[in-house]
Amino acid sequence: MPLKKLNVLVGAATVICVGALTSLLYLKTAKVRAYSVTESAKLVPADARMATFISSTPEALTHLKQFGTPEARTWITQSLTTFKQKSLADTSLKFDRDLQSWIGGVMVALLPNEDGQEPEDFDVLMVVGIKNPIKAWHFARQFNDQANLQRQQRDYKGVEIVEYTESEGRRYNVAVLRHHIIVAADPNAIERAIDTALGEASLASLTGTNQAFLNSVDVPNPITTLYIAEYSTFIKQITADVSPSSQLSMQVLSHIKPVKSVVLAIGVDQLGIHLKAMTQLNDRAIRQSQQPHLDPLVTRFPTKTIGLIQTQGIKEIWSEILTLAEDNSDLNRVVRQIKRGLNAINLDADQDVFGWMDGEFALGLIANDEGVLAPLGLGGVLMLETSDRPAAERMLTQLDTVVSGSNPPVNVEQRAIAGVEVTEWKDPQQGTLFGHGWLQSNLVFIAFGGPVVEAITSEPQLPITANPRYQNVTELLPQANHSYVYLDVEELVTWATGYLIAAPAIAVQPNALALINSVQGLGISATRLDQETARVEMILTLKPKRN
């Protein structure tokens, strides 16, 4: 008898353990699926014009908590609290109490409205991941018990759809598919999502080029993913919805015609925030730049360089700007102003200025408070490679002529610095304002400030590549690229605090300053992979958390 009881107890314990392990495995699987962009994309029809996925996974949140100043964390917490309150303002729900425990990743998609008369008419579909089905079930029971909520159920292909009508008249449709809740104001959007779950083409089932494009933005611990299938249509829609004060910037976006589709992802790791974007281009007429690479102009910049832009083919960029300006009145106005300004000093923008800038280009900001730079604390240098040195020298000679005849007078003088012949523009009281010369037979420089002129003519003992902040940012960016930007944000803030923000006429919001003070460095790279694809990556290194 005791043996029988023992067997029964062992059997019961086994059943309990297996049940517990099964439940844990089920919950863990549900949690993984709730944060999966692919699982959510399986429920979004393939013709979605736009889809964005927000996923604050525990891993991403853990990394984010390692960064920031107390002021920045306080502001972010307050902003999130305000957002939660406004989002649920007309309901009795509390995010932390009712939703946080079971909501996973959230995907919002824009579907073409089948009844719409215009191509930019959209239906909004929301796909909400369920990371804890048990808590979601308890929430559903409490939600359905609200007195001011009417429910009407119907069946579509074996899936129950519930239409909720609030006392104010708002209506929305809800259904549960797999480990997700789908929500839409239009019942057709819900039905299309159900059709997709039952086998119709989805974003996740795209094949070939489209699928490779969607999967091309892998970032660590993603928190946001955005996909825009038809950029021009999407911009046209949101331009119609924005306020008049924002119309100008939206119109500029609408004129970026070469962009067909965009996919973008933002993730977080131990150094900070990583953004990667891929764009499909629909204008093959734009000539592809040379192979992505950058000559080591960067090694000419000293370690005190706090900002650097490097690219290639200014001549081609200017040509593309002229093309875009044909259909953009605002850009066309800027182009005309540039041309008029150069014509005033007998220079033709197309031939005399941009026509010879066909090689590498680098622009750097260098911290320096000596001599003429003392009031500003900053100097700069521009380097340009060219295959047409005579044209470059004609432009520089014309500039020298204009400056020498200025009033008050500026002296134009030549001297050798570290073996480099330099032409300097000197103010009789302040000293050298600008200088230019040839570092190599095809490499010209134009520098602002006498100390920078002297520094740039010789190889620096400590180049910017020896700066740890520069290394942290750029080593995470692709080595083969057409353009990149580097900002030592921490040093820029220190400079701005001493020279700009202290000025009474310049006011910076405390919240903005708190966020900026959390950043160490910024790096951006851009690469034209082929005639149809371009890639942009951004690294934002953040300061470690301090109390």
Side-chain angles (χ1 to χ4, degrees):
M1 190 68 177
L3 185 59
K4 286 186 177 181
K5 288 184 178 181
L6 179 61
N7 290 337
V8 170
L9 291 175
V10 171
T14 302
V15 170
I16 292 172
C17 290
V18 171
L21 289 173
T22 302
S23 299
L24 288 172
L25 181 61
Y26 173 75
L27 291 174
K28 186 174 182 179
T29 302
K31 192 171 184 178
V32 171
R33 289 177 176 172
Y35 287 117
S36 169
V37 62
T38 302
E39 292 295 323
S40 296
K42 290 178 180 178
L43 306 178
V44 176
D47 63 349
R49 296 294 181 260
M50 187 278 285
T52 182
F53 184 73
I54 301 173
S55 174
S56 54
T57 63
E59 293 79 11
L61 293 177
T62 298
H63 282 300
L64 283 175
K65 290 177 181 178
Q66 297 174 359
F67 305 114
T69 62
E71 296 82 4
R73 293 198 300 274
T74 298
W75 180 79
I76 292 173
T77 300
Q78 292 173 346
S79 300
L80 287 175
T81 301
T82 302
F83 173 75
K84 294 172 185 176
Q85 291 173 346
K86 288 184 177 180
S87 299
L88 304 173
D90 297 327
T91 72
S92 60
L93 302 176
K94 301 293 183 183
F95 183 86
D96 296 337
R97 181 192 67 195
D98 302 316
L99 304 178
Q100 190 174 33
S101 63
W102 63 270
I103 282 185
V106 178
M107 178 171 283
V108 178
L110 299 184
L111 309 181
N113 189 325
E114 296 179 349
D115 299 327
Q117 299 299 314
E118 300 294 336
E120 60 267 21
D121 288 336
F122 296 120
D123 287 331
V124 178
L125 174 70
M126 182 180 294
V127 181
V128 181
I130 303 173
K131 68 180 181 183
N132 191 316
I134 297 175
K135 291 185 177 180
W137 180 76
H138 283 294
F139 165 76
R141 289 187 60 188
Q142 296 172 0
F143 183 78
N144 289 329
D145 288 340
Q146 293 183 92
N148 63 340
L149 202 62
Q150 297 181 10
R151 300 173 67 250
Q152 184 174 348
Q153 298 172 246
R154 65 186 180 92
D155 180 90
Y156 180 79
K157 297 185 177 180
V159 177
E160 181 184 86
I161 299 176
V162 181
E163 181 184 77
Y164 291 97
T165 305
E166 299 178 353
S167 56
E168 295 84 2
R170 287 190 296 267
R171 293 184 179 182
Y172 45 90
N173 298 266
V174 179
V176 177
L177 290 173
R178 301 170 182 165
H179 294 273
H180 297 81
I181 294 175
I182 54 174
V183 184
D186 191 325
N188 289 331
I190 292 287
E191 292 177 359
R192 293 196 60 202
I194 294 173
D195 291 338
T196 303
L198 296 177
E200 294 292 332
S202 70
L203 282 184
S205 67
L206 293 177
T207 59
T209 303
N210 289 331
Q211 181 60 41
F213 180 63
L214 279 173
N215 293 335
S216 61
V217 289
D218 54 316
V219 293
N221 303 310
I223 53 179
T224 300
T225 303
L226 172 68
Y227 169 61
I228 302 175
E230 294 184 6
Y231 178 85
S232 59
T233 303
F234 174 71
I235 293 297
K236 184 184 296 185
Q237 171 64 20
I238 62 175
T239 300
D241 295 336
V242 299
S243 62
S245 61
S246 303
Q247 285 288 338
L248 180 59
S249 58
M250 297 310 304
Q251 288 173 6
V252 173
L253 288 176
S254 68
H255 284 286
I256 306 179
K257 292 186 176 181
V259 175
K260 177 183 178 182
S261 304
V262 177
V263 59
L264 175 150
I266 301 175
V268 59
D269 58 18
Q270 66 274 12
L271 289 178
I273 294 174
H274 192 166
L275 177 149
K276 183 184 288 188
M278 298 286 286
T279 61
Q280 284 183 328
L281 308 172
N282 55 18
D283 191 348
R284 298 190 180 191
I286 295 180
R287 186 166 64 88
Q288 183 183 351
S289 302
Q290 52 263 51
Q291 289 300 311
H293 76 283
L294 289 174
D295 289 337
L297 297 185
V298 65
T299 58
R300 307 282 317 201
F301 289 86
T303 189
K304 288 188 176 181
T305 302
I306 60 178
L308 181 64
I309 299 174
Q310 189 169 0
T311 186
Q312 55 184 260
I314 296 295
K315 177 181 178 180
E316 292 182 9
I317 295 174
W318 174 250
S319 178
E320 292 189 16
I321 290 175
L322 294 179
T323 301
L324 292 174
E326 294 175 359
D327 299 321
N328 186 327
S329 59
D330 298 309
L331 184 58
N332 188 274
R333 189 180 305 113
V334 173
V335 168
R336 291 201 308 270
Q337 290 173 348
I338 293 173
K339 289 187 172 184
R340 279 199 300 267
L342 292 172
N343 284 334
I345 57 175
N346 297 318
L347 287 174
D348 180 271
D350 300 333
Q351 301 298 323
D352 301 329
V353 180
F354 299 109
W356 56 268
M357 300 180 183
D358 53 2
E360 304 291 339
F361 162 93
L363 174 65
L365 298 176
I366 301 172
N368 194 297
D369 57 3
E370 300 174 6
V372 70
L373 300 178
L376 186 59
L378 198 67
V381 62
L382 171 68
M383 294 187 191
L384 291 158
E385 283 185 343
T386 180
S387 62
D388 189 354
R389 178 166 175 167
E393 290 182 333
R394 285 194 298 271
M395 186 201 79
L396 293 172
T397 300
Q398 177 61 19
L399 292 177
D400 292 340
T401 301
V402 172
V403 168
S404 63
S406 63
N407 186 21
V410 174
N411 299 326
V412 178
E413 303 176 2
Q414 284 80 32
R415 68 176 174 131
I417 306 176
V420 177
E421 292 296 324
V422 177
T423 299
E424 295 180 304
W425 302 347
K426 282 191 171 183
D427 180 270
Q429 280 77 39
Q430 300 182 69
T432 300
L433 302 175
F434 286 88
H436 61 79
W438 292 87
L439 299 174
Q440 299 172 9
S441 61
N442 67 336
L443 177 61
V444 65
F445 80 89
I446 303 172
F448 166 58
V452 176
V453 172
E454 294 188 5
I456 210 67
T457 51
S458 58
E459 294 281 353
Q461 292 183 346
L462 284 176
I464 187 177
T465 51
N467 187 324
R469 288 193 193 130
Y470 178 86
Q471 294 170 355
N472 285 341
V473 170
T474 56
E475 69 184 5
L476 298 176
L477 295 173
Q479 297 304 305
N481 52 68
H482 286 106
S483 308
Y484 78 86
V485 176
Y486 164 73
L487 296 177
D488 187 331
V489 178
E490 191 167 359
E491 286 298 322
L492 279 169
V493 170
T494 300
W495 167 78
T497 302
Y499 290 90
L500 292 183
I501 298 177
I506 298 177
V508 178
Q509 293 294 327
N511 294 336
L513 192 58
L515 290 178
I516 294 172
N517 280 329
S518 298
V519 180
Q520 283 186 332
L522 169 71
I524 303 173
S525 74
T527 308
R528 185 78 173 267
L529 301 178
D530 52 48
Q531 280 198 292
E532 295 183 345
T533 314
R535 178 184 65 208
V536 176
E537 292 196 42
M538 184 188 81
I539 303 294
L540 195 67
T541 56
L542 303 177
K543 296 179 183 178
K545 177 181 177 180
R546 62 177 177 85
N547 297 320

